[in-house]
Amino acid sequence: MDKVKKQRWVVGLIFIAGAITWFAVGMGWLNFKISMTTIILTIVLAIILLSSLVNFNIPASVFSLAFLAMLYAGPLGITNLVPWTILGIALLVSMGLMIIFAPQVKQYHLSDWQKSIKNSFTGNTTSDDDSKQDSSNQSHPVIDAKMGGVVRSVKSDDFQQADIKGSMSSTKVDFDQALIQGDSATINFDVYMCEVQVLIPKDWKIINEVRQNMGNVTFFNDDAPHGGPVVRLTGKMNLGSLEVRYIEK
């Protein structure tokens, strides 16, 4: 089962668990009361937590647990620790785990990158649920993925802008064959609970302006000066991850 399938199962099961909890509250089976707001926040935080665990995102996982603890501080008997003590503990735990598991985190992302490079050479760029799309000579392609996987290769003699949209999906966009005639171009994101990976030429100079809400942007293979055109990353990313990988032209 690939990562996108796992995330769909996890999110679906969380909503079902929320429905069961709501029913239990209505029937009075729980020995403490939970408001609808608390149930909704629990569902959101649980989605963030499990998505972070799947993506090996230690800080997001730890702070999701911290906010869940604050949300249920009353039943847990830790109201005297809310909020700064719990947040401080979460910060220290997050830093400690990042130091301890730094090699594993690095290897996890590196192996994922090596897999994508290997697939690009073998032609195996999609899974069973993926939709492989080829964009030929488009200056402004639009990539939209919902509840699935999309792989897009952008081929353009005058690339100006790309719009990447998605919800609960996995998207990979290869800009290796996109040529920028002017001084700059834009890649705009509007994604929710998505895993987005973009492969860009080594000479592009990236300026990250993406607004992140419980998301993260990571750069890989960024070890050389970029003297080519400026490419601005804009838009918003909610509960997702963006990987920017430089490749040799």
Side-chain angles (χ1 to χ4, degrees), residues 77-92:
I78 56 173
T79 53
N80 59 317
L81 302 180
V82 176
W84 299 115
T85 300
I86 291 179
L87 291 177
I89 292 172
L91 177 61
L92 293 176

Side-chain angles (χ1 to χ4, degrees), residues 155-173:
K155 301 176 182 178
S156 176
D157 296 328
D158 185 20
F159 173 67
Q160 299 174 13
Q161 178 173 330
D163 290 327
I164 300 176
K165 307 175 182 179
S167 60
M168 297 177 66
S169 62
S170 176
T171 304
K172 176 181 176 182
V173 186

